[in-house]
Amino acid sequence: MPNSRKNKLNYILILLLIMIFLTTFRLLWLMYHDPLAHPIAQNGVLDLRAHEVDDQVINLDGEWEFYPERLVSPLEINSNIEEIVRTIPKAANEASTRRFGTYHLKILVNENSDDVFSIRIPPTNTASALYINGHLKGGSGVVSTDIDHHIGKGNPYVVSFSVKNNEIDIILHISNFDTSYGIAVKNPIKFGSSEAMVKKQRFEGVLLIGMVVILFLHSLYCILIYVFIHRERIILIFAVGFLLPATDELITYNSSTMEWLHLNYEWSFKLKELVYLGAALFLVLIMSVLLTNFKAYKRFRWFFICYGISALFIILLPLNYLLEVNIIFFILYTISFLSVAFLALREYFQHKDESFFIALVVISSTSGILWGLIKELFELEIPFYPFDYLCAILGLAVFWFKRYYRQGRQVVKLVDELKQADKLKDEFLTSSTNKLWNPLNKMTTIAQSLHDQNHSSLTKKDKSDLKCIVNIGKSMSFVLNDLLDFTRLKEQMIQIHPKSTNLHAAITSVFDMLKYSAEGKQIELISTVPTNLPNVLADESRLIQIFFNILGNAVKYTYTGEVVVNAEVYNDMAIIYVQDTGIGMDKETQEQVKSAYKQGVPNDEGLGLGLNVSEQLIELHGGSLQIKSEVGIGTKYIFTLPLVNEQDQKSEEIKMDLHENVDDEQDEHLISKKTRHILVVDDDPSNLKMISGIFPAAQYKVVTVTSGTAALKLLDVTEWDLLIVDVTMPYISGYELTALIRDRYSIIELPILLLTSRNYTEDVNVGFTLGANDYVAKPINALELKSRSIALINLKQSINEKHYMESAWLQAQIRPHFIFNTLNAISSLSTIDSDRMDILIEKFGEYLYGSFKEENLKRVIPIENELNLVKSYLYIESERFGDRIQVKWEVDDPITVEIPPLCIQTLVENAVRHGILSKGGGTICIRIANYKDFTKIEIIDDGVGMDSKQVSKVYDDENTFGKGIGLINTNRRLKRLYGTGLKIKSTPNIGTTVEFIVPKNTTSATIHV
């Protein structure tokens, strides 16, 4: 505890010493620039005849003649015009009521003085013009007696002149219509020899430009680092932050900067305020990042909000209002600076790394800010002083140097750790490869043994499955060997045993191994290697490994076309070409595909080692590997191997067609309606083979295709119970295929199960958003895939059965008394009008046929069939009730839309029975309007109508019993198909309008089985 207090006292002492040093240096700077003792003006006259001004600059302080509200010309200055005496410099509030006026001073110098003199006019409110001995020498803005001609600038300026006698007559016109601060001159007017004035300005200019250049260079360095090296937010903050103090100093101490911008006084003032605000914000922002212990300090966020609001005030408020609220900005700066200083000192006292330099930055910046506030509050003239900013920049530079040094040491340490981790990884991979290779080899051996034995119980399909397992096992053994070889190659532990090797034999062997990989693809593996090509000097097993990796890569990314192997002899080397017609690679992929663990296609299931291992093996043989590729055209692999000095050997050209036609398996007559039909879409034939074996052939008919295009062609072959789709496929991805299928089939009509290699939330969300029912992550677990598939199939079957029950329920809604009453009407007409009886019998038959035919079990039917049923029904009711039923038809022509069965009939029957007949009679209107994107169907009656309670029952999907079930069922079916149901408008004793919308983009999705 005593040590902690002692340390804190030491820290405080160090900071006090820094502050004392900066303050002392500032005071010495002021003393150095303080003018020597000189006379002051009295009653408008300054006598310098006894004072030499050849090598110094003095202030024209004292009593000037002042002519308020008059712009006195040099010719009028000695006339009898009333004047008053005013002191310069003077506080602004002492002349706040004056809008324009004239200051006059006469300077007496030694006679016969040939010196050139200069006068510097400080910033004034807000326009000024300077006359020397009756001549206009300079000005800022346009001085005027009215606001219309006044133009405020308020910039300082210097004029030079020579005198012919011992008198210098100075007239200064000032006008201010921009602010309420009047025309008082707050800062001293400088006077001296031109040489002394130039020397003083040059000295300040060199310091100013030097500091500005330093700040701009730091900003440039930060921008270059951000663009080319390290894109971190702190770097960009520094880049902008260094610009703001540089700009603030430049526009404060260099008047020519503001002249370049050609801004009026108001926007010049606002620009200065915004730049100063930005410089202050930079200090807060930089500290919010550098103070590691207080990054979550909540006040930082409030400071940023306040600074943003202040910037809006500066931009939007008029100048007079802005001057009034300037005190608020002062309070904001003070609070934010004190808070930042407090936090920096807290971290400094906690003895954090590099915290001393942060404290140095804060102390230096605070010193500069405090002296700036002193200058404004006490209206002091303080010469340009760059050392506070330079000290802050030095603190930041040392801070970044130490942080860079510390991070450099951390990088070296991390590199050592990564090397050790890489070594451990290689050891782990070697160990894991050996442990995986042994059981894999046993599995492959057992499968090969079963395949080779003559078991009568094994069918051709069993033999094919066993052969597929053997091939997959061999392929996996090559992958594991690549992994093991990659580790050995890194450690330079692999030795090759070259011998005379026949290139044709190696190619043929690899073609046989790759046959299963090309199964289901429209690919030809072709060898055009000349029969007389000499043998190559190579390790046979390694040569097969090289060909397997390169050809396997070509087959993997080629979906249609051919993979051709060719070779030629050049300078005792065999140049071997492997050309495919696959997807190709761009230049960036070509550069990285030969690197370890780099893959040509995102989310590829391989390890990305094949080409890297092949290249190293080729180089061990004394050859080289090149890759040339174009996207969408194909890839050419070119590698060289040394030849043996033997006689040309004859060999026959091998050309294998590995395309397996699956059309015979997809013939419609082979699909049994007693089984469940599953369509599997995956570009990997081994996955298709594996998935097909999961589902028993007695219960499931599994059809496999390798592309989304082929799957779309098969959609109408039968009514599929399930689609299993791989997400990662060429040309048409699983996501895109799902979206295309959902344009034709709803999520209920055709379940889709996605196979995804990325079990991430965003991937699963995309699949469900596009219409998938479920997903299974790779590697595929057979039990999980089968369970989820069966669940989806059973769900579809249950929903279909429910739909059939709904249709049967609608058919059952034909009440027996309707049939009995119709038969009575037929019987009555038999004795009155036999012709009408015949027509009624015909319409009654059409009605019964339309109500009970099997087509009503479909999802949708042509609207023409539905309207025929409605016409039959209305004819029967018109015959029964005569003029009590009036029918109006308003149907656009043509109407080719398809609608759910018995939907219009249900609405019409409800309107007749419960609407117009309950009222004693009325009119029913069937209106069908054809629009661009949809068809609107309306059933309008002028019957008894419904109240809001009755209408709400129709919209209640939970109501499945009682009256109105036909409307409820129809509303539910429409919502299920189109997303929207019935829209009912009804008024008791006036009538009812029932309408629904049929979108045109869904009406063509009818499935015909």
Side-chain angles (χ1 to χ4, degrees):
M1 200 63 185
N3 289 333
S4 176
R5 290 180 178 176
K6 184 177 180 181
N7 288 335
K8 287 187 176 181
L9 289 175
N10 290 335
Y11 297 151
I12 293 173
L13 181 61
I14 292 173
L15 293 178
L16 287 176
L17 289 175
I18 294 173
M19 195 67 180
I20 291 171
F21 171 77
L22 293 174
T23 305
T24 303
F25 196 78
R26 168 82 75 162
L27 293 174
L28 292 174
W29 184 263
L30 292 176
M31 292 173 61
Y32 174 77
H33 287 277
D34 189 35
L36 299 176
H38 60 275
I40 62 173
Q42 296 180 353
N43 296 319
V45 178
L46 176 61
D47 190 352
L48 296 177
R49 287 174 293 186
H51 188 84
E52 295 292 336
V53 292
D54 295 339
D55 58 350
Q56 62 175 305
V57 177
I58 65 173
N59 299 336
L60 298 182
D61 297 341
E63 297 173 348
W64 288 53
E65 293 179 354
F66 178 62
Y67 302 88
E69 303 297 334
R70 292 183 63 88
L71 297 181
V72 181
S73 68
L75 298 177
E76 300 173 327
I77 201 67
N78 295 319
S79 59
N80 295 325
I81 302 176
E82 182 181 355
E83 80 277 354
I84 61 177
V85 175
R86 170 134 318 162
T87 302
I88 291 181
K90 199 173 190 68
N93 55 10
E94 294 182 26
S96 59
T97 60
R98 310 296 186 182
R99 290 300 182 183
F100 58 92
T102 302
Y103 289 90
H104 176 243
L105 177 69
K106 181 180 291 186
I107 302 176
L108 301 178
V109 297
N110 294 322
E111 294 186 7
N112 301 321
S113 177
D114 296 329
D115 291 343
V116 178
F117 296 99
S118 294
I119 292 180
R120 182 184 184 273
I121 303 300
T124 56
N125 295 327
T126 57
S128 65
L130 180 64
Y131 293 85
I132 303 295
N133 292 333
H135 300 284
L136 178 64
K137 291 294 184 178
S140 177
V142 177
V143 180
S144 179
T145 58
D146 60 87
I147 191 172
D148 295 330
H149 296 89
H150 166 85
I151 299 176
K153 289 288 185 181
N155 296 324
Y157 55 93
V158 177
V159 300
S160 298
F161 56 90
S162 60
V163 295
K164 295 181 180 179
N165 48 39
N166 66 331
E167 290 186 1
I168 302 173
D169 195 67
I170 303 173
I171 297 176
L172 180 63
H173 290 173
I174 299 178
S175 63
N176 178 13
F177 293 93
D178 299 293
T179 72
S180 59
Y181 286 170
I183 56 174
V185 180
K186 298 185 295 180
N187 299 314
I189 298 175
K190 300 289 186 179
F191 172 77
S193 66
S194 180
E195 182 180 354
M197 188 72 72
V198 169
K199 182 179 178 181
K200 177 179 176 62
Q201 288 190 309
R202 183 182 296 139
F203 178 74
E204 293 181 352
V206 169
L207 291 178
L208 174 64
I209 296 302
M211 193 196 73
V212 170
V213 168
I214 291 174
L215 290 172
F216 271 109
L217 285 177
H218 277 74
S219 178
L220 179 60
Y221 295 156
C222 292
I223 292 173
L224 294 176
I225 292 173
Y226 180 81
V227 173
F228 297 107
I229 299 177
H230 190 54
R231 296 204 171 191
E232 190 176 353
R233 187 171 69 100
I234 182 64
I235 305 297
L236 197 59
I237 292 174
F238 269 106
V240 178
F242 282 127
L243 287 175
L244 292 173
T247 306
D248 178 45
E249 295 298 313
L250 195 61
I251 63 178
T252 300
Y253 291 98
N254 192 328
S255 59
S256 60
T257 305
M258 297 303 297
E259 293 292 342
W260 292 343
L261 299 177
H262 299 290
L263 298 175
N264 60 23
Y265 181 80
E266 179 177 359
W267 282 104
S268 296
F269 181 84
K270 289 186 176 183
L271 177 61
K272 293 177 182 179
E273 289 289 314
L274 286 173
V275 171
Y276 189 83
L277 181 77
L281 175 62
F282 161 66
L283 178 63
V284 178
L285 188 61
I286 197 68
M287 290 302 160
S288 70
V289 178
L290 295 181
L291 297 175
T292 55
N293 276 5
F294 307 103
K295 284 186 177 181
Y297 190 54
K298 293 182 179 180
R299 291 186 187 175
F300 281 133
R301 183 177 65 180
W302 288 109
F303 285 152
F304 299 150
I305 294 174
C306 291
Y307 274 96
I309 295 173
S310 299
L312 289 177
F313 280 168
I314 292 173
I315 295 172
L316 300 178
L317 287 179
L319 183 59
N320 286 327
Y321 291 103
L322 184 59
L323 293 171
E324 294 297 328
V325 300
N326 216 16
I327 186 64
I328 299 177
F329 303 152
F330 169 75
I331 295 172
L332 173 62
Y333 301 150
T334 303
I335 294 175
S336 60
F337 292 155
L338 290 176
S339 299
V340 167
F342 172 73
L343 295 178
L345 295 178
R346 277 187 61 185
E347 186 158 317
Y348 171 64
F349 292 146
Q350 293 172 6
H351 198 60
K352 298 297 180 182
D353 291 342
E354 303 107 10
S355 59
F356 169 76
F357 302 102
I358 298 178
L360 178 61
V361 173
V362 173
I363 293 296
S364 303
S365 302
T366 304
S367 175
I369 293 166
L370 289 176
W371 278 101
L373 295 176
I374 291 171
K375 175 183 175 181
E376 291 295 325
L377 293 176
F378 296 99
E379 297 182 351
L380 299 178
E381 184 189 22
I382 299 178
F384 176 70
Y385 180 79
F387 299 105
D388 285 336
Y389 277 126
L390 291 177
C391 190
I393 294 171
L394 178 63
L396 284 175
V398 177
F399 167 80
W400 279 109
F401 175 78
K402 288 187 66 68
R403 173 169 285 190
Y404 174 79
Y405 176 74
R406 178 167 57 86
Q407 290 181 345
R409 293 182 61 185
Q410 290 177 348
V411 168
V412 173
K413 183 179 178 182
L414 287 174
V415 169
D416 293 336
E417 293 177 354
L418 286 174
K419 288 180 178 179
Q420 182 64 24
D422 188 60
K423 183 179 179 181
L424 294 174
K425 179 204 70 176
D426 291 340
E427 294 175 357
F428 169 76
L429 290 176
T430 303
S431 175
S432 301
T433 301
N434 289 326
K435 291 179 180 179
L436 288 172
W437 195 90
N438 289 328
L440 179 65
N441 184 57
K442 293 177 182 178
M443 178 193 72
T444 306
T445 303
I446 294 172
Q448 185 69 55
S449 300
L450 290 173
H451 178 269
D452 294 340
Q453 292 177 6
N454 294 322
H455 286 286
S456 57
S457 60
L458 292 177
T459 63
K460 289 184 177 181
K461 185 177 183 303
D462 294 334
K463 290 267 189 178
S464 176
D465 291 342
L466 287 171
K467 185 62 177 176
C468 182
I469 293 175
V470 172
N471 289 333
I472 293 175
K474 290 180 179 179
S475 175
M476 283 300 301
S477 68
F478 274 104
V479 173
L480 293 176
N481 284 334
D482 282 340
L483 188 58
L484 187 60
D485 289 342
F486 174 74
T487 305
R488 291 174 177 173
L489 285 167
K490 283 183 63 177
E491 299 174 356
Q492 298 180 350
M493 295 176 58
I494 283 188
Q495 294 182 351
I496 61 172
H497 305 283
K499 65 178 182 178
S500 178
T501 305
N502 187 285
L503 205 59
H504 293 284
I507 295 172
T508 303
S509 175
V510 174
F511 276 6
D512 289 338
M513 286 186 287
L514 289 175
K515 184 180 295 185
Y516 78 95
S517 296
E519 185 178 355
K521 294 185 175 184
Q522 297 179 356
I523 302 175
E524 287 185 339
L525 300 180
I526 303 172
S527 173
T528 59
V529 177
T531 56
N532 60 351
L533 185 78
N535 286 0
V536 295
L537 187 63
D539 186 314
E540 185 175 1
S541 63
R542 297 301 179 186
L543 181 60
I544 292 176
Q545 183 178 358
I546 292 169
F547 270 115
F548 183 85
N549 287 339
I550 294 177
L551 285 170
N553 205 68
V555 169
K556 186 174 185 180
Y557 300 114
T558 301
Y559 304 101
T560 59
E562 59 188 20
V563 177
V564 180
V565 182
N566 194 12
E568 64 179 3
V569 176
Y570 183 78
N571 289 343
D572 295 329
M573 297 289 289
I575 304 177
I576 302 161
Y577 305 92
V578 177
Q579 175 75 58
D580 66 51
T581 57
I583 60 176
M585 295 178 282
D586 55 26
K587 290 183 179 180
E588 182 181 355
T589 306
Q590 292 178 52
E591 293 175 357
Q592 68 178 13
V593 74
K594 291 192 292 184
S595 302
Y597 304 109
K598 297 294 183 180
Q599 299 169 336
V601 175
N603 301 325
D604 189 86
E605 295 180 357
L607 294 177
L609 292 175
L611 289 179
N612 180 270
V613 171
S614 297
E615 182 179 33
Q616 295 189 65
L617 291 175
I618 290 170
E619 290 174 351
L620 283 177
H621 284 85
S624 61
L625 173 65
Q626 297 180 9
I627 298 177
K628 298 180 180 180
S629 183
E630 292 186 37
V631 177
I633 296 178
T635 303
K636 178 183 284 188
Y637 305 86
I638 307 171
F639 62 97
T640 58
L641 292 172
L643 294 173
V644 295
N645 296 322
E646 297 181 359
Q647 296 292 330
D648 293 342
Q649 302 178 11
K650 294 184 179 180
S651 179
E652 69 173 331
E653 181 180 307
I654 303 172
K655 183 175 182 179
M656 303 181 63
D657 183 1
L658 299 178
H659 170 59
E660 179 177 328
N661 194 339
V662 297
D663 289 344
D664 294 339
E665 295 181 356
Q666 297 166 354
D667 286 345
E668 189 174 352
H669 69 276
L670 291 179
I671 298 177
S672 170
K673 299 197 178 215
K674 298 180 181 179
T675 59
R676 299 298 176 190
H677 301 92
I678 301 175
L679 178 60
V680 184
V681 190
D682 196 326
D683 61 326
D684 188 346
S686 60
N687 279 350
L688 298 176
K689 201 79 174 179
M690 179 192 67
I691 295 172
S692 299
I694 293 177
F695 300 95
Q699 302 175 14
Y700 301 92
K701 181 62 180 179
V702 180
V703 178
T704 61
V705 293
T706 58
S707 68
T709 304
L712 293 173
K713 293 179 180 178
L714 293 178
L715 285 182
D716 294 328
V717 170
T718 187
E719 182 179 356
W720 300 101
D721 295 285
L722 176 65
L723 257 66
I724 300 176
V725 180
D726 183 26
V727 167
T728 309
M729 292 190 299
Y731 306 117
I732 299 179
S733 69
Y735 292 141
E736 185 178 357
L737 180 61
T738 301
L740 291 172
I741 293 172
R742 284 293 167 254
D743 288 339
R744 299 178 57 185
Y745 298 94
S746 70
I747 200 169
I748 295 174
E749 294 170 331
L750 183 54
I752 299 176
L753 187 147
L754 293 180
L755 304 177
T756 174
S757 57
R758 282 167 46 98
N759 193 15
Y760 297 152
T761 304
E762 55 269 23
D763 296 81
V764 175
N765 179 62
V766 170
F768 283 131
T769 302
L770 293 174
N773 297 73
D774 205 347
Y775 77 99
V776 171
K778 294 180 180 181
I780 299 171
N781 182 289
L783 181 60
E784 180 186 8
L785 177 61
K786 186 176 181 180
S787 301
R788 291 180 181 272
S789 300
I790 292 174
L792 290 176
I793 292 172
N794 291 338
L795 177 62
K796 180 191 175 184
Q797 181 182 3
S798 300
I799 293 174
N800 285 341
E801 290 175 355
K802 183 175 182 293
H803 290 173
Y804 293 150
M805 292 298 294
E806 288 179 354
S807 298
W809 174 259
L810 286 175
Q811 293 173 352
Q813 295 305 297
I814 304 176
R815 301 190 177 187
H817 71 263
F818 172 75
I819 299 176
F820 178 76
N821 291 335
T822 303
L823 292 175
N824 281 340
I826 293 172
S827 175
S828 300
L829 288 174
S830 64
T831 58
I832 301 173
D833 191 336
S834 60
D835 292 334
R836 288 173 58 194
M837 178 194 70
D838 294 338
I839 297 174
L840 183 58
I841 292 174
E842 179 183 354
K843 293 297 182 181
F844 185 50
E846 292 176 356
Y847 174 77
L848 293 177
Y849 174 74
S851 297
F852 292 101
K853 64 182 178 179
E854 186 179 351
E855 185 183 51
N856 290 339
L857 298 178
K858 291 183 178 181
R859 186 177 68 110
V860 290
I861 61 172
I863 193 172
E864 181 182 359
N865 297 0
E866 179 78 359
L867 293 180
N868 289 335
L869 177 65
V870 173
K871 290 176 182 178
S872 300
Y873 169 77
L874 290 175
Y875 182 84
I876 294 171
E877 294 292 60
S878 296
E879 284 292 332
R880 290 180 57 206
F881 296 103
D883 293 339
R884 292 171 59 189
I885 298 178
Q886 300 294 325
V887 181
K888 292 175 60 178
W889 292 89
E890 297 179 6
V891 181
D892 290 350
D893 188 28
I895 296 290
T896 58
V897 71
E898 293 185 335
I899 61 173
L902 302 179
C903 60
I904 299 179
Q905 163 62 21
T906 303
L907 302 180
V908 170
E909 187 172 344
N910 186 79
V912 171
R913 290 170 50 194
H914 303 294
I916 58 179
L917 291 181
S918 297
K919 194 177 180 180
T923 302
I924 181 171
C925 176
I926 297 94
R927 179 181 299 158
I928 303 176
N930 194 18
Y931 295 91
K932 180 180 178 181
D933 298 323
F934 61 90
T935 299
K936 179 190 285 189
I937 300 172
E938 295 177 280
I939 310 300
I940 307 168
D941 69 72
D942 56 0
V944 296
M946 295 184 288
D947 55 27
S948 58
K949 186 177 181 180
Q950 291 173 305
V951 173
S952 62
K953 287 183 179 180
V954 177
Y955 294 136
D956 186 6
D957 290 340
E958 302 298 324
N959 184 13
T960 56
F961 298 97
K963 293 183 179 181
I965 191 63
L967 287 179
I968 296 171
N969 185 284
T970 301
N971 181 59
R972 187 162 53 240
R973 286 193 298 147
L974 291 172
K975 285 199 294 185
R976 186 168 59 238
L977 261 71
Y978 306 129
T980 58
L982 297 174
K983 184 177 181 181
I984 302 175
K985 300 176 183 177
S986 184
T987 304
N989 299 319
I990 293 179
T992 302
T993 298
V994 182
E995 67 177 56
F996 63 92
I997 300 295
V998 179
K1000 289 188 176 180
N1001 59 348
T1002 60
T1003 57
S1004 61
T1006 307
I1007 301 175
H1008 300 285
V1009 182

